[in-house]
Amino acid sequence: TLLWTMVTFWLISILLSYVLARLNMRPILRSWQRQREFVANAAHELRTPLTVIQNKLEMMLTRPNDKVMDQTEQITMSLSEVRRLNSLTSDLLLLARSDSDMTQIRTESVAMAPFLETVIQPYSEIADSQDKHFEENIQLDRDLVIDKQRIHQLIVIFLDNALKYTEAGATISFSARVVNNRWELQVKDTGIGIKDQDKAHVFDRFYRVDKSRSRATGGNGLGLSIAKWIIDSHRGKVTVNDNHPQGTIFTISFPLTKPKK
Ligand code: ADP
């Protein structure tokens, strides 16, 4: 009987290792790990504005006789942190939903030239107010099947960044055209640029080259990861290059065919 027990154990262990190998646990473990990191980073990002708001409210409570007018600085700072929390939670929600395929792409046929004009128009005004030059070159005179809201969001992410990471006097250019049977958007700036070692990471969640600069300009390190999700869902590609003599060029291209649902 001892021999039989040993043989049975041996057979079971062989069977178990075969099943585990077939299940291929590595990608599952990696995805768990990524999910854990996402939750930890999200909690950390939420804590910073919450701590500021808590401190401001506590300070206000220590001076109950002050009028609202005397507390404007605390109120303004709290409000700006509440706004940050608001945009952070909607970004987190979008990414969490995209992970579980709950965010659907809603495509429709869109006349691209007028659509792109309306999306970028406010940016030429913002650039003007910041003493920056804004150039546009839209050569996409056709209808394409896209998720209008998401492509709008995508362009806003790149243009917001172009404005955030440039100084006064900089030039920001937006172009749209058809190249090699693909339609292409390009956002160029003459700003601080992205070092080669950071280029591969800027699309990672929460990745920021300069955390304090990003935070000061309202960034949370999620913009480009949302952009990447929108690009993937339209079967697109994105590249990051240096703009000479300085700045960054983001080139995003999509097939001219219908995007996947
Ligand atoms: P953030 O909210 O910090 O801007 P993003 O995901 O949009 O987050 O971008 C990630 C990081 O990539 C930024 O923190 C910044 O360091 C870098 N980055 C993005 N766009 C540019 C740009 N146009 N010029 C220089 N750096 C950029």
Side-chain angles (χ1 to χ4, degrees), residues 8-22:
T8 316
F9 267 123
W10 180 66
L11 279 175
I12 289 174
S13 68
I14 287 183
L15 196 70
L16 253 178
S17 49
Y18 174 76
V19 170
L20 283 178
R22 281 306 294 261

Side-chain angles (χ1 to χ4, degrees), residues 6-43:
M6 279 172 72
V7 169
T8 316
F9 267 123
W10 180 66
L11 279 175
I12 289 174
S13 68
I14 287 183
L15 196 70
L16 253 178
S17 49
Y18 174 76
V19 170
L20 283 178
R22 281 306 294 261
L23 274 177
N24 196 4
M25 295 295 281
R26 213 174 290 160
I28 300 172
L29 290 176
R30 215 178 300 136
S31 136
W32 276 345
Q33 167 78 9
R34 230 178 294 142
Q35 214 53 40
R36 274 214 309 270
E37 271 172 26
F38 179 58
V39 173
N41 281 327

